[in-house]
Amino acid sequence: NFLFRIGDDWYFLFALGVIMALISFTMDFTVSKMLNAHRWLQQELGGNVLLRYLSWIVYPIALVAFSTGFAQSITPHSGGSGIPELKTILSGVILEEYLTIKNFGAKVVGLTCTLSAGSTMFLGKVGPFVHLSSMIAAYLGRMRTSVAGDYENKSKEHEMLVAAAAVGVSTVFGAPISGVLFSVEVMSSHFAIRNYWRGFFAATCGAFVFRLLAVFNSEQETITAVFKTSFKISFPFDLPEMFFFAILGVVCGLIGCAYLFCQRWLLGYVRRNSLTSKLLASDKPMYSALVALLISSITFPESLGQFLASRLTMKELLTSLFDNRTWWISLSQNSSLDRSPLVDPNNLWLEWANPQFTIFGTLAFFIIMKFWMFILATTLPMPAGYFMPVFVFGAAIGRLVGETVALLYPEGIAADGIVNPIIPGGYAWQGAPAYSGAVTHSVSTALLAFEATGQIAHILPVILCVLIANAFTQKLQPSFYDGTIIVKK
Amino acid sequence: NFLFRIGDDWYFLFALGVIMALISFTMDFTVSKMLNAHRWLQQELGGNVLLRYLSWIVYPIALVAFSTGFAQSITPHSGGSGIPELKTILSGVILEEYLTIKNFGAKVVGLTCTLSAGSTMFLGKVGPFVHLSSMIAAYLGRMRTSVAGDYENKSKEHEMLVAAAAVGVSTVFGAPISGVLFSVEVMSSHFAIRNYWRGFFAATCGAFVFRLLAVFNSEQETITAVFKTSFKISFPFDLPEMFFFAILGVVCGLIGCAYLFCQRWLLGYVRRNSLTSKLLASDKPMYSALVALLISSITFPESLGQFLASRLTMKELLTSLFDNRTWWISLSQNSSLDRSPLVDPNNLWLEWANPQFTIFGTLAFFIIMKFWMFILATTLPMPAGYFMPVFVFGAAIGRLVGETVALLYPEGIAADGIVNPIIPGGYAWQGAPAYSGAVTHSVSTALLAFEATGQIAHILPVILCVLIANAFTQKLQPSFYDGTIIVKK
């Protein structure tokens, strides 16, 4: 009992980190197998377009409907991201049901299905992981109370929930520091420094084990960032580009405001509208299936989907947007590039190339279509995260701005006679934290981008961009999570 | 008056950041001119050893004595780092005198002299910059009160001081995020998230202008990190190296404990001892001069100084320790390397090479000698920062461990048949935040290392190292700042 006492908290935090890392890795592994299976199926179906279409739409519809049905049948608390509810709990409201371990299975299975639907449904896993992590923390806390014979300690429980939120974020992106900061920014209004340490320790254990598993699984040679980039760090950008970075910040801020407004409006509308509200009350899986039918029909790669890079998974989308090349230049040099029947893992960005539409067309189309499709997807009552899609969406905005700047200055902006080409990937890499920061009212997304990509050379422009985008949304709109709380009240 | 109202805080924070950046840049500029003048003088003196010795010791003695005398004659509050006092203020104690603008001139002039004494005195500028920044914040606050006719607002003043501390750190290292976090960790126990935003904004403005000035001054081509590194990011380290990183953490933690203990003891001793206490009470400049005489005699490059790389400035010390080469291999390949009469700016690390002593000898000697010399220097009652020396010291520890590991595994540690050489610079880069984090009881030094070097590939080992080192010191010793508060009480 003595040993158990000494480091009490440390064992606990360590266990929390390791468990979450295992869950995160297992889920990623399963999801990637599921996505590969779907991709394989699409290939095997060969000539028949109708069959291919059916297999394309049935997969997400089935998964989404199952996810909704399964999760909702166990507990209605398992739907959505979980961050708004956790925020409510941390502000002092007691939602006992919400952290029971019963939710756990529902959320894990549901989320795996949701993610397996791939970039068609365009949903992520950060929010649910924060929820899962806090469930584990609450469970471990109860276990400790019964084993060690401690009396229940409300303030300690609270501290652990804060640490758990950090672990949730860090085991998704392998990003310990921003995991702590993002969860603090999003979920608390005040913060005790002694918690900082706890969150940091647990998040580091989580991120470490998560990346270690990737090495053991031979995905990586050593521990590196989740989304590796290869920007030039000796000369990251020309000074005059700061102007365009600022414009990118304004663009992200304005689109963020529009998004937050529409999202809140639609979330309210589906509750007011008699048809959808009836469906949502009595037959949730049916509602999910209908939405999935609509969305997956649009993303079918042989119809509109070819302009949406819809054959890529969420991770591939992000990796391709961070690509180091200047797309429109690469394309004009190899104008004979044909659309390959398969996705080329070394040239993911070719999915964005479309002979009829140009790079600018596909990016703009992606931004416009995903804008409303993602808002629609957020109304689905199943376990799903909304951070990753926002992050990818921001990267797409940045890539579009970056390609445009590269088009305006094909030779780069000369400073003192030295000419360096413009790297649109760098813009994508700034748009992602700027837009996601604007939507969630947080600035630590900048740090998240650094940690997730293993690149920090653009630090000042990224922060500038995030601050500008934040200035707009914080002035004009409640954050994504507050908006959800407002609507659900 | 309307415009002045709208963004009130933002103007204020912006001004704070810009003013501090200007001061920081001007001071760096002046100090580098002074150090160059000294280096030039040493060269010009040519053959006579005695003359060279005199010029070597007179320069720091005069500067340190003047710094002490000038600062103390204006106000006794201007001595030391300022962080312990600011911590006291932020915890609610009122030290009105401490933030008056009268301190400002004393601290700026005194600090410039202290820094101009170079690596001989081995002192830094972070602490005083936090103090300067809070003085400016307090002054701007009073100005606002009188211009806008606001009533005084204690809680607003407090918020501004927190932001000011962040600006102080960020304008020294060009590191906005860690500026905020480090100041929060070191100075507060609780923290309101709305302050986070303020600190972030002001720190970013400060860091941005600070780096921009370097571009305008043609030191840099574009905005980049303060201490640029060039480690390989595609394969940062072998997985088994994690073991050595952990050992480095333990070493840093233990040395940190020893340092904190000795430092507190000596600080108390010079107050108790009748001779030193009399000197410190009646003739502070004399005390400083005597200490400077002792230290500068030791660091004379033609006596013991040749084993201490004492011809390098503080910044050059850090840059040389982060060097990408494996020193003992480079040396054994060019055994004929002679000690050049001048410092070679492109091969700073050669200052560490000594034919009689080997790299390991000079590094170990540096660590042992600087250990007590730095502790002695902290007793001087003049404006001086103690973070940078601790950071450099940690880098030296890391470099020594790294070179040793590279000696044990000259071919690198093979993992799955792929062999990658060990990069001792990477160890130096981990030792710096681990040791400085241990001494200050903070984990955000890890982030500081990332931001200051523009490199984040080693993120997980760095954090691991910092956490391990922290575990030792937090368990066994009060932090550097708390120690000072305890002694001064």
Side-chain angles (χ1 to χ4, degrees):
Chain A
N1 210 343
F2 180 62
L3 236 180
F4 194 80
R5 279 246 152 249
I6 282 186
D8 226 350
D9 276 11
W10 307 117
Y11 292 143
F12 183 93
L13 292 165
F14 179 76
L16 181 64
V18 172
I19 292 172
M20 286 310 294
L22 288 170
I23 295 172
S24 180
F25 182 76
T26 315
M27 194 178 288
D28 276 7
F29 187 79
T30 316
V31 167
S32 97
K33 292 281 168 221
M34 297 275 277
L35 290 170
N36 282 340
H38 189 207
R39 197 171 269 179
W40 172 84
L41 187 67
Q42 287 294 112
Q43 279 168 40
E44 291 299 304
L45 288 173
N48 194 325
V49 175
L50 186 65
L51 265 183
R52 283 208 302 279
Y53 171 69
L54 282 178
S55 108
W56 180 265
I57 63 163
V58 164
Y59 207 78
I61 292 176
L63 284 167
V64 164
F66 175 75
S67 171
T68 311
F70 182 80
Q72 290 289 344
S73 71
I74 294 184
T75 151
H77 298 288
S78 59
S81 112
I83 291 184
E85 288 83 357
L86 197 62
K87 188 170 181 173
T88 316
I89 292 176
L90 287 179
S91 73
V93 182
I94 295 163
L95 301 172
E96 280 292 350
E97 267 295 291
Y98 190 70
L99 293 179
T100 51
I101 205 73
K102 200 171 68 175
N103 280 331
F104 187 78
K107 200 121 194 179
V108 168
V109 175
L111 182 61
T112 310
C113 294
T114 307
L115 292 175
S116 301
S119 73
T120 301
M121 294 313 297
F122 206 56
L123 292 167
K125 70 184 241 206
V126 179
F129 258 72
V130 170
H131 187 188
L132 286 176
S133 180
S134 56
M135 281 188 267
I136 302 258
Y139 185 73
L140 286 176
R142 278 194 300 275
M143 219 172 71
R144 179 164 66 170
T145 316
S146 61
V147 171
D150 270 356
Y151 54 93
E152 272 188 59
N153 183 337
K154 281 286 161 201
S155 94
K156 190 160 240 169
E157 275 174 27
H158 186 271
E159 282 173 1
M160 285 304 167
L161 284 182
V162 176
V167 172
V169 178
S170 83
T171 47
V172 171
F173 286 106
I177 309 182
S178 49
V180 176
L181 293 185
F182 183 70
S183 63
V184 167
E185 267 197 290
V186 165
M187 266 167 280
S188 323
S189 65
H190 273 72
F191 185 56
I193 304 300
R194 58 190 241 103
N195 275 344
Y196 184 69
W197 231 95
R198 285 157 203 276
F200 218 83
F201 177 75
T204 306
C205 293
F208 184 66
V209 174
F210 179 61
R211 298 310 292 155
L212 203 62
L213 288 168
V215 179
F216 290 161
N217 195 35
S218 305
E219 286 168 32
Q220 303 274 341
E221 283 177 18
T222 185
I223 291 181
T224 50
V226 178
F227 300 102
K228 253 199 234 173
T229 54
S230 55
F231 303 135
K232 197 168 49 154
I233 55 171
S234 60
F235 192 92
F237 57 93
D238 276 309
L239 204 52
E241 281 187 75
M242 289 301 300
F243 176 68
F244 297 108
F245 296 148
I247 289 181
L248 177 59
V250 174
V251 170
C252 286
L254 291 178
I255 299 184
C257 287
Y259 163 73
L260 287 171
F261 179 81
C262 296
Q263 206 266 342
R264 223 169 49 250
W265 176 84
L266 189 71
L267 216 56
Y269 180 77
V270 294
R271 292 175 165 236
R272 282 195 307 274
N273 182 285
S274 58
L275 183 70
T276 49
S277 66
K278 233 180 254 167
L279 259 179
L280 273 173
S282 59
D283 208 359
K284 293 193 177 76
M286 178 57 87
Y287 175 76
S288 295
L290 286 175
V291 171
L293 170 64
L294 172 65
I295 292 180
S296 60
S297 297
I298 291 173
T299 61
F300 181 53
E302 280 156 83
S303 67
L304 288 175
Q306 62 184 299
F307 310 115
L308 292 168
S310 66
R311 294 196 295 183
L312 299 178
T313 65
M314 292 296 278
K315 285 194 177 181
E316 286 171 343
L317 275 178
L318 197 55
T319 312
S320 70
L321 289 168
F322 287 162
D323 188 90
N324 210 7
R325 277 160 285 216
T326 306
W327 290 350
W328 76 266
I329 292 179
S330 302
L331 273 181
S332 59
Q333 283 164 351
N334 316 293
S335 53
S336 64
L337 275 174
D338 265 334
R339 198 173 178 78
S340 72
L342 305 179
V343 175
D344 177 358
N346 297 317
N347 285 300
L348 292 174
W349 67 278
L350 283 179
E351 290 295 308
W352 292 95
N354 195 291
Q356 304 134 332
F357 226 51
T358 80
I359 284 294
F360 304 97
T362 50
L363 281 169
F365 190 67
F366 179 88
I367 291 168
I368 293 167
M369 294 301 277
K370 286 293 181 191
F371 183 83
W372 66 264
M373 279 156 66
F374 171 55
I375 292 178
L376 192 56
T378 57
T379 63
L380 299 182
M382 65 188 179
Y386 310 124
F387 183 80
M388 183 72 173
V390 171
F391 203 72
V392 174
F393 191 81
I397 298 175
R399 177 53 89 159
L400 182 58
V401 172
E403 292 282 343
T404 313
V405 175
L407 184 69
L408 293 174
Y409 300 91
E411 307 287 315
I413 301 168
D416 297 333
I418 313 145
V419 172
N420 286 281
I422 284 170
I423 305 165
Y427 286 81
W429 183 58
Q430 295 187 34
Y435 184 71
S436 55
V439 167
T440 57
H441 284 201
S442 62
V443 283
S444 53
T445 48
L447 196 56
L448 189 68
F450 302 144
E451 286 192 284
T453 59
Q455 190 97 34
I456 201 170
H458 290 69
I459 176 158
L460 278 168
V462 170
I463 296 179
L464 185 86
C465 214
V466 172
L467 283 174
I468 292 175
N470 254 290
F472 281 92
T473 50
Q474 295 211 5
K475 190 88 188 168
L476 301 171
Q477 292 285 329
S479 84
F480 179 82
Y481 306 111
D482 287 337
T484 312
I485 295 177
I486 292 168
V487 172
K488 288 205 174 165
K489 206 149 60 182
Chain B
N1 210 345
F2 181 62
L3 236 180
F4 193 79
R5 281 244 151 248
I6 282 185
D8 226 355
D9 277 10
W10 308 117
Y11 293 142
F12 184 92
L13 292 165
F14 178 75
L16 182 63
V18 172
I19 293 172
M20 286 309 295
L22 287 170
I23 295 172
S24 179
F25 182 77
T26 314
M27 194 178 289
D28 277 6
F29 187 79
T30 316
V31 167
S32 96
K33 292 281 169 223
M34 299 274 277
L35 290 170
N36 282 340
H38 189 207
R39 196 170 270 180
W40 173 85
L41 187 67
Q42 287 295 111
Q43 281 169 38
E44 291 299 304
L45 288 174
N48 194 326
V49 176
L50 185 67
L51 265 183
R52 283 209 301 278
Y53 171 68
L54 282 178
S55 109
W56 181 267
I57 63 162
V58 164
Y59 207 79
I61 292 177
L63 283 168
V64 165
F66 175 75
S67 171
T68 311
F70 183 79
Q72 291 289 344
S73 72
I74 295 184
T75 152
H77 297 289
S78 58
S81 112
I83 291 184
E85 288 83 356
L86 197 62
K87 188 171 180 172
T88 316
I89 293 175
L90 287 179
S91 73
V93 183
I94 296 164
L95 301 172
E96 279 293 348
E97 268 295 291
Y98 190 71
L99 293 178
T100 51
I101 205 72
K102 200 172 67 177
N103 280 331
F104 186 79
K107 202 122 194 177
V108 167
V109 174
L111 183 61
T112 309
C113 293
T114 307
L115 292 175
S116 300
S119 72
T120 300
M121 294 313 296
F122 206 57
L123 291 166
K125 69 184 240 206
V126 179
F129 258 73
V130 170
H131 187 185
L132 287 176
S133 181
S134 57
M135 283 188 268
I136 302 260
Y139 184 74
L140 286 175
R142 279 194 298 276
M143 218 172 71
R144 180 165 63 170
T145 316
S146 62
V147 171
D150 271 353
Y151 55 93
E152 272 187 60
N153 183 337
K154 281 286 163 201
S155 92
K156 190 160 239 169
E157 274 173 28
H158 187 271
E159 282 172 2
M160 285 305 168
L161 284 184
V162 176
V167 172
V169 179
S170 83
T171 46
V172 172
F173 286 106
I177 308 181
S178 49
V180 176
L181 293 185
F182 183 70
S183 63
V184 166
E185 267 195 289
V186 166
M187 267 167 278
S188 324
S189 64
H190 272 74
F191 186 57
I193 303 300
R194 58 189 241 105
N195 275 346
Y196 184 70
W197 230 97
R198 285 158 205 275
F200 217 84
F201 176 76
T204 305
C205 293
F208 183 67
V209 173
F210 178 62
R211 298 308 294 155
L212 202 62
L213 288 168
V215 179
F216 289 161
N217 195 35
S218 306
E219 287 167 33
Q220 303 275 342
E221 282 177 18
T222 184
I223 291 181
T224 50
V226 177
F227 301 102
K228 252 200 234 174
T229 55
S230 55
F231 304 133
K232 199 169 48 157
I233 55 171
S234 60
F235 192 91
F237 58 93
D238 275 309
L239 203 52
E241 282 186 75
M242 289 301 300
F243 176 67
F244 297 108
F245 295 148
I247 290 182
L248 178 59
V250 174
V251 170
C252 287
L254 292 178
I255 300 184
C257 287
Y259 164 72
L260 288 172
F261 179 80
C262 297
Q263 207 266 339
R264 223 168 49 250
W265 176 83
L266 189 71
L267 217 57
Y269 180 78
V270 295
R271 291 173 169 239
R272 283 194 307 276
N273 182 287
S274 58
L275 182 72
T276 49
S277 66
K278 233 179 254 167
L279 260 180
L280 274 173
S282 59
D283 208 0
K284 293 193 177 77
M286 178 57 86
Y287 176 76
S288 296
L290 287 175
V291 171
L293 170 64
L294 172 66
I295 292 181
S296 60
S297 296
I298 291 173
T299 61
F300 181 52
E302 279 156 84
S303 68
L304 289 175
Q306 62 184 299
F307 310 115
L308 291 167
S310 65
R311 293 195 296 182
L312 299 178
T313 65
M314 292 297 279
K315 284 195 178 178
E316 286 171 344
L317 275 178
L318 197 56
T319 313
S320 70
L321 289 168
F322 287 162
D323 189 271
N324 211 6
R325 278 161 283 214
T326 306
W327 291 349
W328 75 267
I329 291 179
S330 303
L331 273 182
S332 59
Q333 283 165 352
N334 315 294
S335 53
S336 63
L337 275 175
D338 266 335
R339 199 171 178 79
S340 71
L342 305 180
V343 175
D344 177 359
N346 297 318
N347 285 300
L348 292 175
W349 68 278
L350 283 179
E351 291 295 309
W352 292 95
N354 194 289
Q356 305 134 331
F357 226 51
T358 80
I359 284 296
F360 303 97
T362 50
L363 281 169
F365 190 70
F366 179 88
I367 291 168
I368 294 167
M369 295 300 279
K370 286 292 181 190
F371 184 82
W372 67 265
M373 279 156 66
F374 172 54
I375 291 179
L376 192 56
T378 57
T379 64
L380 299 182
M382 65 188 180
Y386 311 124
F387 183 82
M388 184 72 173
V390 171
F391 203 72
V392 174
F393 191 82
I397 298 175
R399 175 53 86 160
L400 181 57
V401 172
E403 292 282 343
T404 313
V405 175
L407 184 69
L408 293 174
Y409 300 93
E411 307 286 316
I413 301 166
D416 298 332
I418 312 147
V419 171
N420 286 281
I422 284 172
I423 305 164
Y427 285 80
W429 183 58
Q430 295 187 34
Y435 185 71
S436 55
V439 167
T440 56
H441 283 200
S442 60
V443 282
S444 54
T445 49
L447 195 57
L448 189 68
F450 302 144
E451 287 191 285
T453 60
Q455 192 96 36
I456 202 170
H458 289 69
I459 176 157
L460 279 167
V462 170
I463 295 178
L464 185 85
C465 214
V466 172
L467 283 174
I468 292 175
N470 255 288
F472 281 92
T473 50
Q474 295 212 4
K475 191 90 188 166
L476 301 172
Q477 291 286 330
S479 83
F480 179 83
Y481 306 112
D482 287 336
T484 311
I485 294 176
I486 291 168
V487 173
K488 288 205 175 166
K489 206 147 60 181

